[in-house]
Amino acid sequence: MSPVSHGTSESRGEDRRLLRFEPHLPHAYETIWPALTTPDGLRGWLAEADVLERRLGGAVTLRGADGGPELSGQVTAWDVERVVEYTLTGLGRIRFHLEPVGTDSTVIRFSHEYTPNQPGLGLDRPGSAGGRAADADHLAGWHRRFELLESALEGHPAAPPARADQRLAALRASYTPPAAAA
């Protein structure tokens, strides 16, 4: 498994955050697209898709495999084999933009715009503070999920990580800003 580069975060006004990742995966976009846009594909690394109408304006309902909350919304961008965006109540807007690199490699330009302290799809921790602390939880969660996506693409789908997952804990620590000096 190739390493997933650390994501970044930025403020989008007083109450919105934007996270970005650009994982470069050694798979053709035709292989990655179904993992992002079909119930079977999403189940292998992100969530159960109880509803997924694969078109612009279609309904979508995702449910965490670990009994997490059910999040409903719409497909807010759909450009076949290139861009899919889901806007989900409680999670915000998640966008996957695929860019082929040659014939057997793809960069996913991913963004997640959200409001801190909203319950999410197992990507956050209860009681998180807003801003950077919430970003650390979300960044670690997405980082881990992109590792799971790569594993699923290699033929090893996995259930999303439990909050006690050691790898997820290590990623949270790597994204947590150092405490201010006393």
Side-chain angles (χ1 to χ4, degrees):
M1 179 181 336
S2 66
V4 173
S5 297
H6 265 59
T8 62
S9 67
E10 63 187 69
S11 176
R12 287 290 178 128
E14 292 183 28
D15 66 343
R16 302 290 292 165
R17 303 293 298 168
L18 180 67
L19 309 181
R20 295 180 193 272
F21 279 88
E22 290 190 3
H24 185 165
L25 303 176
H27 299 277
Y29 69 92
E30 300 95 343
T31 303
I32 296 172
W33 181 253
L36 304 176
T37 63
T38 66
D40 284 343
L42 289 168
R43 182 180 309 109
W45 70 281
L46 181 64
E48 295 288 332
D50 292 337
V51 175
L52 181 54
E53 296 175 351
R54 301 178 64 218
R55 61 177 171 78
L56 183 61
V60 61
T61 300
L62 300 179
R63 178 177 37 84
D66 61 352
E70 183 176 279
L71 303 172
S72 296
Q74 282 191 308
V75 177
T76 48
W78 184 268
D79 183 359
V80 175
E81 295 185 352
R82 185 168 171 87
V83 176
V84 64
E85 178 181 280
Y86 304 115
T87 301
L88 300 161
T89 301
L91 184 62
R93 180 181 57 87
I94 57 174
R95 181 180 186 94
F96 303 89
H97 182 154
L98 303 181
E99 292 186 14
V101 179
T103 58
D104 60 356
S105 185
T106 304
V107 171
I108 302 174
R109 299 199 188 287
F110 170 80
S111 62
H112 176 198
E113 188 170 0
Y114 74 101
T115 301
N117 294 324
Q118 292 270 325
L121 193 62
L123 297 171
D124 56 357
R125 282 186 299 179
S128 290
R132 291 197 166 280
D135 283 355
D137 289 336
H138 286 287
L139 287 163
W142 281 114
H143 191 128
R144 183 68 178 121
R145 292 196 191 265
F146 283 120
E147 291 174 346
L148 294 173
L149 171 60
E150 188 171 5
S151 180
L153 292 169
E154 295 292 331
H156 308 289
R163 292 187 193 280
D165 179 77
Q166 289 181 0
R167 176 67 180 141
L168 187 56
L171 286 167
R172 275 192 191 112
S174 75
Y175 280 108
T176 301

